[in-house]
Amino acid sequence: MFRQVAEDVYALSVEFRVGPMDLGGRMTAVRLPDGGLWLHSPVRFGPEARAAVDALGPVRFLVAPNLMHHLHVRDWAAAYPDAKVAAPAALQGKRPDLRIDVALGDAAEAGWADVLDQVLVQGMPRVDEVLFFHRPSRTLFVTDLAFNVHRTGSWFTRVYLTLSGAWQRLAPSLLARSVVKDRQAVRASLARAQAWDVARVVVCHGDVVEQGAQEAVRNAFARF
């Protein structure tokens, strides 16, 4: 079920709808130097997803990368009680039922700092998204700041993303741009992320960007 997109980086794509929106979803697993797994944006938990993860290695971290991608983390945390749950600090107020062991910010947790960098995007408090960069494979992980949807069974999704200037390209949606509260803070955070030497972009919604990733990121972030 997982597709290897780079050395030590594996993506699991699933169906995902929100009302009329058909965006698709994705969980990404990074194999850490100790052989453990760092799971980004866990998808719906079930026996097939669990078997796919177990085939890759032991789970060390479960990462909710923003204030929206947390729905299935509790089920994964129950299945893997030794794994640490990492999430933006503000998620604790939204999900008091969810155990959070690591508050995500600009500093990488010691358990993944050897291979992953991160930036908490300031100025969007309703999102609090953390961008991650896997240095060995030069892979950027984006959750809701930008989509890259090229196919959908929903005419509504196609129209909405076309109006957003985000159909069949890496770009933020109208909703993502509308929740910006401090544009300067957003741009300062994104400037830090643009300093990364990106070779590919793994998004939670849409296709993995395999070619021209650095320019695609620059163009997408410029929309903010």
Side-chain angles (χ1 to χ4, degrees), residues 2-224:
F2 273 98
R3 177 174 77 90
Q4 185 170 3
V5 297
E7 186 172 358
D8 292 330
V9 180
Y10 305 84
L12 174 62
S13 301
V14 299
E15 294 184 358
F16 178 73
R17 298 181 67 98
V18 179
M21 295 288 285
D22 177 17
L23 296 169
R26 178 173 292 112
M27 171 171 67
T28 307
V30 172
R31 183 176 288 117
L32 300 171
D34 70 353
L37 300 180
W38 178 91
L39 296 186
H40 179 272
S41 187
V43 295
R44 185 182 301 277
F45 183 80
E48 290 186 356
R50 179 171 192 164
V53 166
D54 288 344
L56 291 178
V59 179
R60 299 277 191 264
F61 297 98
L62 299 164
V63 180
N66 66 23
L67 298 182
M68 273 80 77
H69 280 236
H70 57 81
L71 297 179
H72 307 298
V73 173
R74 184 179 178 183
D75 292 338
W76 285 89
Y80 298 95
D82 293 333
K84 291 184 178 180
V85 176
L91 185 59
Q92 193 68 78
K94 187 176 183 179
R95 288 289 306 275
D97 62 309
L98 183 62
R99 166 175 59 89
I100 298 177
D101 305 299
V102 178
L104 294 173
D106 284 329
E109 163 72 14
W112 66 70
D114 286 347
V115 292
L116 287 158
D117 291 328
Q118 64 193 64
V119 167
L120 171 62
V121 179
Q122 305 284 351
M124 301 174 70
R126 290 180 60 184
V127 181
D128 271 0
E129 179 157 332
V130 180
L131 298 169
F132 294 94
F133 180 64
H134 184 242
R135 294 192 303 276
S137 67
R138 298 164 55 205
T139 301
L140 172 67
F141 302 104
V142 179
T143 308
D144 288 323
L145 285 194
F147 301 158
N148 187 39
V149 178
H150 288 247
R151 296 164 301 280
T152 180
S154 163
W155 67 267
F156 181 88
T157 303
R158 186 166 56 253
V159 170
Y160 171 71
L161 293 180
T162 298
L163 292 175
S164 297
W167 173 242
Q168 297 187 333
R169 62 181 294 190
L170 183 71
S173 67
L174 287 169
L175 179 60
R177 301 205 302 273
S178 73
V179 297
V180 171
K181 296 300 182 183
D182 185 337
R183 195 168 301 277
Q184 287 187 329
V186 172
R187 289 176 174 172
S189 297
L190 295 181
R192 291 185 54 209
Q194 288 182 80
W196 295 329
D197 182 20
V198 177
R200 70 185 51 76
V201 184
V202 175
V203 292
C204 285
H205 305 293
D207 294 352
V208 176
V209 180
E210 303 276 8
Q211 303 292 331
Q214 193 84 52
E215 182 178 2
V217 169
R218 182 169 56 251
N219 291 338
F221 288 172
R223 303 292 296 278
F224 287 102

